[in-house]
Amino acid sequence: PDVTYDEFEYLKRSVADVDKMAFNLFTRNENIKFEDQTVSAVRVTPTTNEFEGIDGIKISQGRFFNEAESNSGTPVIILGFDVAEGLFVDSEQAIGQKVRLYGQRFTVIGVTDKQGFSTFGDSRDNAVFLPMNFIRRLYGENSDMITPAILIKPKKGIDMEAFKGEITQKL
């Protein structure tokens, strides 16, 4: 079923044996711009700050957004390697620059290593990561443009069937 941010917050507080939990929004690909450069069909990943610990994103420059930026929906962005290469002559110049996405300006705070495909089967290099609460403010929670998901990484060595049962019961 579609999940809500309130359910995510509830699960974070009430489910035992969670290593990391993130709230993601799956949305359509977009164009991203810097001055006269455009990279098309970029996978936009609005998420919470915990996503970094679930998907194993490796940052080569800068950093991932923190909890305060995540919660407030600060307009910051992490660029995938190919996106940074497409927007900047020298991708090392990306940090601190303002890029445009959704008609809004985002400050680049990180660039990923060249990584290829994620555990979810899509390219991390042609992706950007931004605070999910920014998109929630822009589109609301009931937009046809987004599909919400709660990603959960359990602690090692737990009984997975009991863990799944607890999550099912709470939802």
Side-chain angles (χ1 to χ4, degrees):
D2 282 345
V3 290
T4 66
Y5 189 74
D6 288 340
E7 289 170 325
F8 163 70
E9 289 289 324
Y10 168 70
L11 289 176
K12 270 179 49 174
R13 290 188 311 270
S14 65
V15 175
D17 297 324
V18 170
D19 181 21
K20 302 268 190 236
M21 185 181 304
F23 191 82
N24 265 34
L25 298 173
F26 293 95
T27 186
R28 67 178 187 229
N29 291 350
E30 297 285 343
N31 296 336
I32 187 167
K33 299 179 182 216
F34 175 73
E35 295 176 350
D36 61 345
Q37 299 296 320
T38 301
V39 177
S40 301
V42 174
R43 185 176 52 84
V44 178
T45 306
T47 189
T48 55
N49 60 294
E50 298 94 346
F51 184 73
E52 180 183 22
I54 292 176
D55 197 37
I57 296 168
K58 294 186 178 37
I59 306 288
S60 64
Q61 301 166 50
R63 62 182 177 82
F64 204 78
F65 49 87
N66 61 36
E67 184 177 10
E69 291 163 330
S70 180
N71 291 340
S72 68
T74 304
V76 293
I77 195 165
I78 293 91
L79 305 179
F81 182 86
D82 291 346
V83 176
E85 292 282 309
L87 293 177
F88 301 96
V89 174
D90 179 0
S91 65
E92 291 186 14
Q93 298 173 343
I95 304 299
Q97 299 292 338
K98 305 268 191 213
V99 297
R100 291 189 67 79
L101 175 67
Y102 298 118
Q104 309 287 317
R105 292 188 186 278
F106 290 82
T107 302
V108 177
I109 61 168
V111 175
T112 67
D113 281 340
K114 186 150 186 74
Q115 298 178 78
F117 292 91
S118 76
T119 53
F120 301 108
D122 42 21
S123 173
R124 290 186 186 144
D125 300 326
N126 191 45
V128 295
F129 306 90
L130 55 123
M132 179 274 317
N133 278 329
F134 183 90
I135 299 301
R136 281 180 69 220
R137 275 200 330 264
L138 194 63
Y139 292 119
E141 293 216 20
N142 298 320
S143 173
D144 291 338
M145 295 177 56
I146 57 176
T147 302
I150 298 172
L151 307 176
I152 303 171
K153 179 180 178 183
K155 291 179 181 174
K156 292 185 187 241
I158 65 158
D159 179 338
M160 283 303 292
E161 290 308 311
F163 185 72
K164 290 177 192 176
E166 180 183 5
I167 291 169
T168 302
Q169 183 271 330
K170 294 207 185 280
L171 284 174

